[in-house]
Amino acid sequence: MKAKNSEYFATVKQNIVEAGFMSAEISDFYQDIFGLQDKYLDRYKNNVQGFVISSPDSLLPVLKDTSPFSAELNAILFESFNDFVKSIEAHQKGLNYNALLETYGNNFTLFNDTLKIVLSDNRAELKKISDDFRIGFEEYYYLVLNMFKPLVVAMRGDVNISPEDSSFEDSRCPFCGYYPDMSKIVESRDNVRILHCGFCENEWRLKRLLCSVCGNTETEKLGYLTAGDDTLYRVDYCEECMGYIKTLKVNRQNEETKYNLTVENIITTRLDASAMELGYKRP
Ligand SMILES: [Zn+2]
Ligand SMILES: [Zn+2]
């Protein structure tokens, strides 16, 4: 079984800080956020029965469903909202989310509305909301993404949702539509390439050699970078769109379940920095 995000992070945290890849302060912040997500994931699991997916190719029901969340679910969401805000405010002095908390507290239907906006990737609308509350877009987006993350993980349940159609080339998550945060190549499974969703943590197979950002299949425009003698990570890039994705290589000696890609993404920002320095970007 895959370790919980907070447990996995706790096992790698010290090494990451000692190697200078992350400050102790930031690592404490992530430890808090992962802890909150694990805590709420357990609670949502008991409150998402209404969203159980009947067919694997169905879109996330919340996007189609016009019925509001249950009062119980809204109450947990509001509690979690307060917890995430507290944690972010404690680590980033100067941020103030009081107006936001008050508005959501007075109108619980905003949770369902906001999740729909996040899932439809309507960043212009999110920007409008953050402007209304005089919060930076990045701060607001970070807050809602991380706060809703355990809910969409719970909605997906324990099974990975793969695209039914074998010609499926879209590299967006077949369950929630979000972007992959990382990919992995599993040597013991014929070097299969798996994408991992940055939101609902779904994992699905990338069936052909293509750019996971734009879908380009011209192999001469695809390549990857490695850092020195690092055999665990590489950065796959595409010259067509200049997009990239970080890839973790699971070699034959290791179990696939040993790695937690949600946490691996957070602890490998040095790879993002190198890729961006070379002019590549992630969606
Ligand atoms: Zn997803
Ligand atoms: Zn591309």
Side-chain angles (χ1 to χ4, degrees), residues 210-217 221-222 237-244:
L210 58 93
C211 165
S212 66
V213 180
C214 74
N216 164 46
T217 52
K221 287 184 175 162
L222 301 171
Y237 64 83
C238 165
E239 294 293 351
E240 179 70 26
C241 68
M242 293 304 281
Y244 76 91

Side-chain angles (χ1 to χ4, degrees), residues 2 5 60 118-119 145 149 152-153 156 159-161 171-184 194-205 245-246 260-263 265 282:
K2 197 181 85 175
N5 294 351
L60 192 63
V118 173
L119 289 169
L145 264 189
K149 190 178 191 352
V152 289
V153 174
R156 181 173 55 77
V159 274
N160 284 319
I161 312 288
S171 53
R172 296 281 199 95
C173 173
F175 179 69
C176 77
Y178 201 72
Y179 305 91
D181 52 4
M182 274 193 87
S183 72
K184 65 181 169 186
I194 311 259
L195 295 182
H196 177 269
C197 177
F199 200 23
C200 76
E201 302 182 2
N202 188 30
E203 292 190 348
W204 70 102
R205 190 175 165 172
I245 187 164
K246 293 179 288 185
N260 176 317
L261 293 188
T262 299
V263 177
N265 175 46
R282 65 193 280 177

Side-chain angles (χ1 to χ4, degrees), residues 88-114:
I88 292 172
E89 283 179 344
H91 288 276
Q92 276 185 286
K93 303 284 179 237
L95 295 178
N96 184 329
Y97 293 97
N98 289 347
L100 195 70
L101 279 176
E102 201 185 318
T103 304
Y104 279 79
N106 288 328
N107 185 2
F108 278 1
T109 60
L110 288 176
F111 289 120
N112 191 295
D113 296 345
T114 308

